[in-house]
Amino acid sequence: MIKQEAIGFHNGYKIWILTLTNSKGMEVKLTNYSGAIMSIKAPDKNGDFADVVLGYDNIDGYINGCSSQGALVGRFANRIGGGKFTLNGVEYPLYKNDGENTLHGGSVGYNKRVWELIAAEYDENSGENHVLFGYTSPDGEENFPGTVAMTVDYCLNEKNTLTLIYDAESDADTVLNLTNHVYFNLGGEGDVLDTEMQIFADKYTPVDSGLIPTGEIADVKGTIFDFTELRPIRNKGIDGYDHNFILRKSNGEELPTAAFARDAKSGRTLTCRTDMPAIQLYTGNGLDGETGRNGKPMEKQTGFCLETQFCPDSPNKPQFPSCVLKAGRTYHHVTSYEFGTDED
């Protein structure tokens, strides 16, 4: 079922909060401000529900927040080195909001835009809840070329899976990299360093001091980036992760498995699947005590992100999978998050 509530306006645009529930009691709360996932309540091994994502108590937190909680990010998620890229022989300088680099789209990315609520539909036959948000990014917004019309369909089904379906078209060649920046905490509280993680990737992209890929595609084997077997995120060789992994090719799965996470105490599990070529594991290293839900501070490493994406700085790295969206072509990508328990 879907409950929708208009809660006011921001810059003249109506703000909605939508609550999706399935017959198993799982609940997902969304807002069209930034397209944010505000809350996901999922059961543990004893059937007890807890919120397994970070967030704020009210919409003001999302408007004023600085950590992209649950938000859609773009036009280019992650970093573009040097705050510029060249496309079709034209150099596009960008706003530098991360040292000398551009992060998550620049000064005002999609995480600070009001998306249009296009549809909110519950299918009684399938039990699927669908919420469709849309945003049209004009040519020259943050100095990216091309007018890009985008939609993101959020679907909660009876298998406790939340799926995001991204579609876009541009009227000119551009670069496009969309993802969702939701922070997970499967235990519902505390840090996430004891969360067990498996990433279905044999390669990663080493970075420089500004977290810009060097261009090398390296093996994870024998490094602190080896998550090919389930293991705790905690590693004495690194103070948290903010790194990109190049995912394995599909082994026949319709939507390939990208990552699996497990919280041993609660028994909650999360399986992330995607048809994107890469995934960024971010362990909330930049969280600095910003006030979150129930007035509690969101401290460093109290949430992890699994950002399905093109590789960081891919506009400047031709050896990486191309993020160029040609005029008139369709951008279509799917990512799903399936919640379960050890008892499943």
Side-chain angles (χ1 to χ4, degrees), residues 100-119:
E100 288 300 304
N101 308 315
T102 300
L103 176 65
H104 294 330
S107 177
V108 185
Y110 300 162
N111 60 320
K112 292 298 181 182
R113 303 288 181 180
V114 178
W115 290 61
E116 179 188 0
L117 172 59
I118 298 174

Side-chain angles (χ1 to χ4, degrees), residues 67-220:
S67 52
S68 300
Q69 291 290 331
L72 297 171
V73 290
R75 182 173 299 192
F76 191 90
N78 215 308
R79 294 171 175 86
I80 295 179
K84 61 184 178 181
F85 69 95
T86 299
L87 179 64
N88 297 335
V90 178
E91 182 176 283
Y92 294 90
L94 305 172
Y95 184 83
K96 297 177 181 179
N97 62 333
D98 184 50
E100 288 300 304
N101 308 315
T102 300
L103 176 65
H104 294 330
S107 177
V108 185
Y110 300 162
N111 60 320
K112 292 298 181 182
R113 303 288 181 180
V114 178
W115 290 61
E116 179 188 0
L117 172 59
I118 298 174
E121 300 175 343
Y122 172 68
D123 187 326
E124 292 187 359
N125 294 323
S126 66
E128 290 184 346
N129 299 267
H130 286 271
V131 170
L132 187 67
F133 292 142
Y135 180 69
T136 297
S137 177
D139 177 45
E141 184 175 67
E142 295 292 329
N143 208 35
F144 287 93
T147 296
V148 180
M150 298 163 285
T151 61
V152 182
D153 180 5
Y154 295 71
C155 174
L156 173 64
N157 68 15
E158 288 294 290
K159 296 181 179 180
N160 284 1
T161 300
L162 178 64
T163 301
L164 278 64
I165 304 168
Y166 302 82
D167 286 284
E169 288 187 353
S170 177
D171 64 358
D173 291 358
T174 191
V175 297
L176 185 63
N177 189 25
L178 303 176
T179 195
N180 188 282
H181 206 278
V182 61
Y183 292 75
F184 297 104
N185 184 319
L186 297 180
E189 60 183 5
D191 72 48
V192 296
L193 295 179
D194 289 326
T195 301
E196 296 172 306
M197 180 71 65
Q198 183 177 12
I199 299 176
F200 293 77
D202 301 307
K203 305 284 186 180
Y204 77 106
T205 51
V207 294
D208 63 19
S209 59
L211 296 178
I212 299 300
T214 63
E216 180 186 4
I217 298 174
D219 290 332
V220 300

Side-chain angles (χ1 to χ4, degrees), residues 39-95:
S39 170
I40 299 178
K41 293 180 180 177
D44 66 7
K45 61 187 176 183
N46 298 316
D48 295 325
F49 284 78
D51 208 327
V52 295
V53 303
L54 304 187
Y56 305 97
D57 281 329
N58 54 52
I59 199 67
D60 290 342
Y62 293 87
I63 293 171
N64 299 317
C66 57
S67 52
S68 300
Q69 291 290 331
L72 297 171
V73 290
R75 182 173 299 192
F76 191 90
N78 215 308
R79 294 171 175 86
I80 295 179
K84 61 184 178 181
F85 69 95
T86 299
L87 179 64
N88 297 335
V90 178
E91 182 176 283
Y92 294 90
L94 305 172
Y95 184 83

